[in-house]
Amino acid sequence: MTQRVWRPFAFREKIPPVPGVRFDRVLHKDAEGVITLLSVKIDAPLLDRAPKLKVVSNVAVGYDNVDVPECTRRGVMVTNTPDVLTDATADLAWALLLGAARRVAEGDRYVRAGKFKKWDFYLMRGMDFAGKSLGIVGGGRIGQAVARRGRGFGMSILYTSREPKPDFEREGARRVELPELLRTSDFVSVHVPLSKATVHLIGAKELALMKPTAVFVNTARGPIVDEAALVKALKAGKIFAAGLDVYEKEPAVHPGLLKLDNVVLLPHVGSATEGARRGMVETAHRNC
């Protein structure tokens, strides 16, 4: 019996690191499976170039870069890589929560600029965590992992979700509507997927509900937050601080954010650990 040899790569060549080089120009017309990153848009024109395609294996927990209805119409399966990046992303969300609340990046810049001359009782006071409330916008795997870390700080947990999460609630979390979560939480961390329903889920109206002492963090997807509204809220002191790993028009960052000391900015590195990235690639390969 002849063994069929499967070629695991969908490319004729490695994509050159040259601005403007398009993924669909190097996609092989005979590819049956393709492993993609979230920076690659999988849409009808690309699918037209690979008529034999059977599976799109996305190396990400999200799949907003894939036109799933179009893939479904063509009988192309779409897969992602949940679970393996949960802890890494939850850790990064906490790095932002701590960094923004305790003004870590601001303090680092202050020391490097030679401004630290003596200990000062009033210098760079931040926010406490113990006994405070943590609001999780989206009660999925990552949101629950962030909440588990919050319980270690003695925090109470609120969450929003389309459906109740009984296991989550047995651990002490309480499900509320988004306005109540924003009004009552001292810390807010976003963990919903990007969809038409979640674009600008957090805008001027939502930010206005938050406490002036609140810290806001987004490690999900940039367009969930109206960046212009966030800049205004931070400048006006409507909230205390923010931490962002993702951006509305990524990789572009709203210029107003770059001028603010009360926001910590990272370059979309939520899953950027050795273990998580290796697990993502291995999962995507198995999926394909």
Side-chain angles (χ1 to χ4, degrees):
M1 187 169 111
T2 303
Q3 183 179 5
R4 180 172 179 270
V5 178
W6 176 68
R7 292 189 303 159
F9 301 106
F11 313 111
R12 297 191 193 97
E13 58 191 79
K14 183 177 179 181
I15 299 178
V18 178
V21 173
R22 290 178 47 179
F23 179 85
D24 60 356
R25 301 271 171 83
V26 292
L27 180 63
H28 198 285
K29 63 182 178 61
D30 293 327
E32 295 175 296
V34 59
I35 296 176
T36 60
L37 300 176
L38 61 85
S39 55
V40 176
K41 183 70 174 175
I42 305 297
D43 53 14
L46 184 140
L47 293 168
D48 286 342
R49 296 181 67 90
K52 297 180 181 179
L53 200 63
K54 293 182 174 65
V55 59
V56 172
S57 185
N58 211 35
V59 187
V61 66
Y63 44 85
D64 44 280
N65 58 308
V66 181
D67 187 338
V68 176
E70 184 63 23
C71 287
T72 302
R73 188 181 72 80
R74 297 173 186 239
V76 177
M77 180 180 288
V78 177
T79 70
N80 63 345
T81 61
D83 296 324
V84 292
L85 51 75
T86 296
D87 285 326
T89 306
D91 290 344
L92 194 281
W94 265 97
L96 286 171
L97 285 165
L98 287 162
R102 295 305 306 270
R103 303 171 70 169
V104 173
E106 183 184 355
D108 179 80
R109 292 191 294 269
Y110 185 85
V111 172
R112 290 175 187 274
K115 297 179 180 179
F116 181 42
K117 303 300 182 182
K118 63 176 182 176
W119 181 84
D120 185 337
F121 185 79
Y122 298 101
L123 181 64
M124 292 192 184
R125 287 172 296 176
M127 294 298 160
D128 296 299
F129 284 85
K132 300 297 184 178
S133 59
L134 173 60
I136 304 295
V137 182
R141 296 178 182 89
I142 297 173
Q144 292 187 38
V146 171
R148 284 194 294 273
R149 287 154 174 77
R151 282 191 287 274
F153 284 83
M155 305 179 81
S156 60
I157 308 298
L158 303 176
Y159 79 100
T160 65
S161 180
R162 286 177 295 181
E163 298 178 355
K165 305 284 185 177
D167 290 343
F168 197 15
E169 293 180 12
R170 279 192 286 272
E171 295 176 354
R174 182 165 66 90
R175 181 172 175 254
V176 296
E177 295 300 319
L178 181 60
E180 181 180 350
L181 182 144
L182 295 173
R183 279 195 299 267
T184 57
S185 296
D186 297 295
F187 298 86
V188 175
S189 191
V190 175
H191 302 284
V192 293
L194 179 61
S195 67
K196 290 180 180 179
T198 61
V199 171
H200 284 191
L201 179 69
I202 305 296
K205 182 176 72 172
E206 290 73 27
L207 291 163
L209 295 174
M210 296 177 66
K211 300 177 180 181
T213 54
V215 174
F216 174 82
V217 162
N218 183 17
T219 56
R221 288 291 185 267
I224 294 168
V225 178
D226 181 340
E227 279 185 11
L230 180 60
V231 169
K232 289 180 180 179
L234 288 165
K235 287 179 69 174
K238 299 292 185 183
I239 61 175
F240 179 73
L244 303 175
D245 185 43
V246 289
Y247 304 93
E248 188 173 355
K249 297 179 180 178
E250 196 169 307
V253 179
H254 192 291
L257 291 170
L258 299 173
K259 299 175 183 177
L260 296 172
D261 277 329
N262 58 341
V263 58
V264 180
L265 306 172
L266 293 178
H268 203 151
V269 290
S271 63
T273 68
E274 289 293 330
R277 289 287 167 86
R278 181 178 294 276
M280 291 167 70
V281 171
E282 289 174 350
T283 300
H285 185 262
R286 286 195 300 270
N287 287 346
C288 196

